[in-house]
Amino acid sequence: MFNTEVTDIRSRDGRVVGVTVKGGKEIDAPVVINAAGPHSFLINAMAEGVVEGMNIKTKALRHEVHHVPSPEGFDFLKNGYHTSDGDNSIYFRPEVGNMILVGSEDPECDPQEWTEDPDNFNRNITDGQYKAQIYRLARRIPSLGIPNKQLGVADLYDCSTDWIPIYDKSDLKGYYMSIGTSGNQYKTAPVVGILMAELIDYCEKGNDHDKDPLQLFLKNTGISIDVGFFSRKREINEDSSFSVNG
Ligand SMILES: Cc1cc2nc3c(=O)[nH]c(=O)nc-3n(C[C@H](O)[C@H](O)[C@H](O)COP(=O)(O)OP(=O)(O)OC[C@H]3O[C@@H](n4cnc5c(N)ncnc54)[C@H](O)[C@@H]3O)c2cc1C
């Protein structure tokens, strides 16, 4: 249902029973999944006992990415690669229109703008961050032109405490979370869909995912992953980059 805002998560006797949407209409469901992106922390706050049961939390962090034309004579869209450039604290990748998209890897000198209100933030890119990111890119690609017209996008990451997603059940039976994507999980969406379906099936059949985590078999690679890695109750993963690299 497009343009329909969830305003409450209803539960009874420790189990989710459905959602309420703006205007008061109630939709009953045996299973509810929080996949609300940067609004995930607001949705969790509506669900009884969920936040209290989480060691890893989510918050909304404003971020800018900028678009700049590929250097003359090079088809970056066709021949460019996604590149993580830790020395300059940027990543860049091909973007439509033979553009290069450049984003920040959150060095300490970049201010972090956390927002309490994900419906109300500055959606315009800023001159300071544009110049920081494009000049960093120009250090890596010296033939890059610096356009006068500044292009880019400003939006919110749904950032988890350790920049690794939460794909998990919760302390409220029937309520699941697919959140904390931390600016880096668009590309994983198809496999995360499978992960969540398998996880919900596993838990709803009575298995205790907290004590005995689901092992997910990935049919294309032939390996299994321990879904407990994405637990809401995990200790902060100190091996994380604590950046968009996850
Ligand atoms: C600037 C920027 C650049 C990025 N670049 C990359 C990249 O290069 N590669 C990559 O892999 N990932 C990237 N990401 C991350 C990627 O966009 C996210 O991981 C992905 O969009 C998460 O998808 P989602 O469906 O979980 O959440 P979202 O796409 O955020 O969707 C959440 C939906 O929930 C809805 N919602 C929220 N609250 C309510 C409510 N109360 N009731 C009803 N609906 C509600 C929202 O309206 C929205 O439609 C980037 C993110 C940003 C901000």
Side-chain angles (χ1 to χ4, degrees), residues 1-8 20-21 34-40 42-43 46 61-65 82 91 93 95 101 119 153-158 167 178-189 192 244:
M1 295 166 69
F2 289 109
N3 299 313
T4 309
E5 188 183 336
V6 170
T7 53
D8 193 22
T20 305
V21 297
N34 179 355
H39 292 75
S40 67
L42 296 173
I43 300 290
M46 296 174 190
L61 178 65
R62 186 182 170 280
H63 247 267
E64 296 183 18
V65 294
H82 182 283
Y91 68 90
R93 64 165 170 80
E95 183 54 74
L101 176 151
D119 291 312
V153 173
D155 217 313
L156 300 174
Y157 289 174
D158 176 33
Y167 298 135
S178 180
I179 60 173
T181 47
S182 304
N184 60 50
Q185 292 288 303
Y186 179 80
K187 63 187 93 54
T188 66
V192 170
V244 70

Side-chain angles (χ1 to χ4, degrees), residues 95-133:
E95 183 54 74
V96 287
N98 197 20
M99 303 289 269
I100 305 176
L101 176 151
V102 55
S104 167
E105 290 189 350
D106 285 272
E108 279 177 19
C109 55
D110 279 4
Q112 287 197 326
E113 264 188 82
W114 300 98
T115 171
E116 295 293 319
D117 182 0
D119 291 312
N120 189 15
F121 64 95
N122 181 9
R123 289 184 174 273
N124 297 315
I125 58 170
T126 56
D127 185 59
Q129 196 60 21
Y130 178 88
K131 283 188 176 144
Q133 290 180 187

Side-chain angles (χ1 to χ4, degrees), residues 40-51:
S40 67
F41 70 103
L42 296 173
I43 300 290
N44 277 347
M46 296 174 190
E48 200 181 350
V50 164
V51 177

Side-chain angles (χ1 to χ4, degrees), residues 4-24:
T4 309
E5 188 183 336
V6 170
T7 53
D8 193 22
I9 309 284
R10 286 175 293 111
S11 57
R12 199 181 309 127
D13 303 330
R15 176 151 195 119
V16 78
V17 292
V19 302
T20 305
V21 297
K22 203 169 192 170

Side-chain angles (χ1 to χ4, degrees), residues 155-166:
D155 217 313
L156 300 174
Y157 289 174
D158 176 33
C159 207
S160 83
T161 314
D162 59 9
W163 294 73
I164 291 166
I166 300 170

